[in-house]
Amino acid sequence: MMDGSIGARREPANFIGGEWLAEAETMPVVNPATGEEIARLPKSSPVTVDAAVRAASDASAGWAATPVFARAALCVAIGAAIDAHREEIARVLSAEQGKVLAEAMGEVGKAADGFRLAAELVKQMGGETLPAEDPTKLVMTIRQPRGVYGVITPWNFPVKIPVEYLAPGIATGNSIVWVPAPSTSLVAVALMEAIAEAGLPAGVINLVMGEGAVAGDAVVTHPGVVAIGFTGSAATGKRIAERGAGKPMLLELGGNGPVVVFEDADLDAAAAAAAGGAFFNAGQVCAATGRVLAHRSVVDPLCERLVEHAARHVLGDPFHQGTTMGPLNNAKVAAKVREHVEDAVANGAKLLHGGKPRPDLGSALFFEPTVVRDVTPDMEINREETFGPVVPVLAYDTQEEALKLALDSEYGLSVGVFTADIAKGAEMAKAIPAGIVNVNAGSTWWEIHLPFGGGSGTKSGIGRLGGRYTMEAMTELKMISITLQQRKRHERRDPGAGAPEYSDGRPRQGAADTGAGGRTHPRRQHLALGLGSGCAWAGGPPRNGGMV
């Protein structure tokens, strides 16, 4: 086990209803850099999930009724608690996930920022008043929490991504049942400890660890869970959409983002962005540089720069100060990376750098930063999400061909375009059906308050994460109409009488202002009815579209 108060529980447990509860069956947590078991965590059953959902349901009404400023204050306190334990959480993250300590420290810092951002944004959320054809109606919208939200999160950013759901979720008044990825559940315990330390009311967030096919599926299908948030693979996202059919969903899925480099691009900037997007977190990023589409005239100088970036990386122990890249997280992803590179080389691609696993570093999960050129559209490395430290380079001759290659993918998450011609960049941005297109920046550029998600008709997901966009998705938009009180306007006329009366026999106010034909002056009438300028004429058709 790691040292320190956070994540150092002798027997890590689920957190349900404000209590740490052990589970009879456990599963191992393995350090990917060494292959050593570092902890055993609960392997929860559907019965445990049911207990967590009941705890969240019990907390739901009270938490939703808590004043928004009190919920925001809690989020600020949670951010401070995460900051206070930043290094401890980061060390657990590095040991369990495999990313270098500097990257882990940055991720934990972003998680704290996420709670602070939620605290600010929730105080700015509001509805609006809307016009109505009926002048007796006051119409408005409000946003309300959905209720018990199920959240299932991945192993590649196991601190930051959960916070993208947890922070806006509780800030807007939802209660949550959270299932983290099995291979990075120890850091979920560390994060949950910090959140609980800040004064979280019992049942507002419930942590349940276990296998996705069991614990995750139980959350998705539970009738007490009204909505689902999931970040992970496209295949798993599809199964969740099917199993949870009918529930509102936020699905942030895979990507295979191209970085398009035109002949007039700044090649130094393009190479730095493409390499950074491919090698950060050992390429285990949904928005990573999936493929580089380079104009044929710049392929050679661009590849030289990409190889220079790859050669600078130092593989090794994530805790060593000089290490810039740790291992891949698990055997399944390592096998896929190796398969994609071998398939490309076997079918004619040229390996310029790397391309091999490095078991001599302590684990078969270390894989060299890799650059491959002369990749063709039909190769696996181009068509599928590799999720490893690999830069495949494809050549094109015209802008039309570049666009065709960019569109030749089932994914549509993020894209980078490099060109000195801003008009050309804007054309590409509009034409590519991705959720994010960065002109003169790589596919990974994003900030936590911005919308993040896949394009329609692609395998990259549904909805948008980030800032107010997550809050809108995690709340229900409700329309409210209020009928304004007024006197009845059904009038009884006596041809021989002067002032008309209401149907109950009372004299109408403003009768002295009745003009020819017995019609009240409009200003006197709307003042008498107390409806302001939104009142329609009584006894006749509306004027000027129904408004006075």
Side-chain angles (χ1 to χ4, degrees):
M1 294 295 294
M2 307 304 298
D3 294 330
S5 61
I6 294 292
R9 303 182 62 84
R10 186 180 297 274
E11 295 181 2
N14 293 318
F15 187 72
I16 298 173
E19 297 181 2
W20 294 98
L21 303 175
E23 187 84 6
E25 193 172 359
T26 62
M27 56 187 182
V29 174
V30 177
N31 183 331
T34 65
E36 298 174 345
E37 183 177 309
I38 57 176
R40 295 199 69 85
L41 297 175
K43 189 176 181 181
S44 301
S45 69
V47 173
T48 302
V49 170
D50 182 66
V53 174
R54 284 188 281 108
S57 298
D58 291 344
S60 181
W63 184 240
T66 300
V68 66
F69 281 84
R71 299 198 304 260
L74 175 63
C75 287
V76 172
I78 292 173
I82 293 172
D83 277 336
H85 296 290
R86 183 177 179 182
E87 184 173 355
E88 299 154 71
I89 298 173
R91 294 186 71 82
V92 177
L93 173 55
S94 286
E96 184 180 42
Q97 197 275 340
K99 66 182 61 185
V100 297
L101 186 58
E103 290 181 6
M105 288 286 286
E107 180 174 342
V108 178
K110 287 295 183 185
D113 289 343
F115 274 101
R116 285 186 282 267
L117 177 65
E120 292 304 311
L121 291 179
V122 74
K123 291 181 287 189
Q124 300 171 26
M125 284 195 78
E128 57 183 340
T129 56
L130 300 170
E133 184 177 1
D134 184 340
T136 71
K137 296 294 189 288
L138 175 64
V139 183
M140 66 188 75
T141 61
I142 63 171
R143 286 197 170 272
Q144 294 181 304
R146 291 191 183 276
V148 178
Y149 222 102
V151 172
I152 304 169
T153 55
W155 50 260
N156 59 331
F157 290 95
V159 175
K160 184 178 75 70
I161 288 177
V163 170
E164 291 172 3
Y165 295 97
L166 301 181
I170 68 169
T172 53
N174 296 282
S175 56
I176 292 173
V177 178
W178 169 31
V179 179
S183 67
T184 51
S185 288
L186 185 60
V187 76
V189 174
L191 177 61
M192 192 70 246
E193 286 183 338
I195 293 171
E197 179 184 291
L200 182 78
V204 172
I205 299 178
N206 303 273
L207 171 65
V208 180
M209 291 169 277
E211 296 177 339
V214 179
D217 185 71
V219 168
V220 171
T221 58
H222 198 291
V225 174
V226 301
I228 301 295
F230 169 76
T231 296
S233 72
T236 302
K238 181 180 179 181
R239 287 197 298 273
I240 287 174
E242 293 169 348
R243 295 286 286 161
K247 298 181 180 183
M249 291 193 183
L250 262 175
L251 301 177
E252 195 281 286
L253 308 179
N256 187 22
V259 173
V260 184
V261 182
F262 284 100
E263 64 271 29
D264 59 353
D266 180 333
L267 295 185
D268 290 333
F279 302 144
F280 178 72
N281 197 30
Q284 300 165 121
V285 183
C286 56
T289 304
R291 51 215 171 100
V292 174
L293 313 179
H295 190 273
R296 197 172 303 278
S297 66
V298 300
V299 167
D300 289 343
L302 181 65
C303 285
E304 290 174 4
R305 289 165 169 81
L306 290 170
V307 169
E308 289 173 1
H309 283 284
R312 293 188 193 124
H313 277 282
V314 178
L315 279 173
D317 186 338
F319 290 100
H320 286 178
Q321 189 171 1
T323 300
T324 62
M325 187 184 297
L328 297 166
N329 178 257
N330 57 75
K332 183 177 180 180
V333 72
K336 185 177 184 181
V337 173
R338 185 170 62 252
E339 176 188 322
H340 281 192
V341 173
E342 290 175 353
D343 172 78
V345 173
N347 285 283
K350 183 177 181 182
L351 184 65
L352 299 181
H353 187 85
K356 300 185 298 296
R358 291 288 305 276
D360 57 299
L361 295 174
S363 166
L365 300 182
F366 285 98
F367 198 91
E368 295 174 332
T370 299
V371 181
V372 186
R373 65 170 293 171
D374 301 337
V375 171
T376 57
D378 58 320
M379 294 178 181
E380 290 180 351
I381 205 169
N382 174 68
R383 304 204 65 80
E384 299 180 13
E385 182 181 33
T386 300
F387 224 63
V390 181
V391 185
V393 181
L394 293 80
Y396 69 86
D397 294 297
T398 66
Q399 181 177 342
E400 291 72 22
E401 186 182 356
L403 179 59
K404 182 179 179 181
L405 287 171
L407 296 174
D408 186 25
S409 174
E410 295 181 302
Y411 296 96
L413 184 57
S414 60
V415 177
V417 177
F418 282 85
T419 177
D421 186 340
I422 299 303
K424 185 189 297 182
E427 288 176 10
M428 293 291 288
K430 291 179 180 179
I432 299 173
I436 300 169
V437 179
N438 296 319
V439 178
N440 291 326
S443 58
T444 55
W445 186 87
W446 178 70
E447 295 180 355
I448 60 173
H449 63 288
L450 301 174
F452 186 94
S456 298
T458 73
K459 292 169 61 174
S460 292
I462 301 170
R464 292 294 182 269
L465 285 175
R468 68 178 177 87
Y469 305 96
T470 315
M471 290 183 164
E472 289 173 357
M474 298 185 84
T475 52
E476 190 83 16
L477 184 66
K478 177 178 286 186
M479 188 211 82
I480 299 174
S481 73
I482 299 174
T483 301
L484 302 171
Q485 291 184 354
Q486 59 180 313
R487 293 173 176 170
K488 296 178 181 178
R489 292 180 291 165
H490 301 294
E491 298 177 346
R492 184 174 63 211
R493 296 267 187 186
D494 183 347
E501 298 175 342
Y502 287 101
S503 56
D504 60 6
R506 289 177 290 109
R508 188 176 61 185
Q509 293 183 28
D513 295 312
T514 303
R519 176 172 251 177
T520 303
H521 188 280
R523 178 178 295 276
R524 296 289 187 267
Q525 185 189 41
H526 78 242
L527 290 175
L529 293 175
L531 296 176
S533 60
C535 178
W537 283 83
R543 187 181 67 174
N544 296 331
M547 306 298 286
V548 173

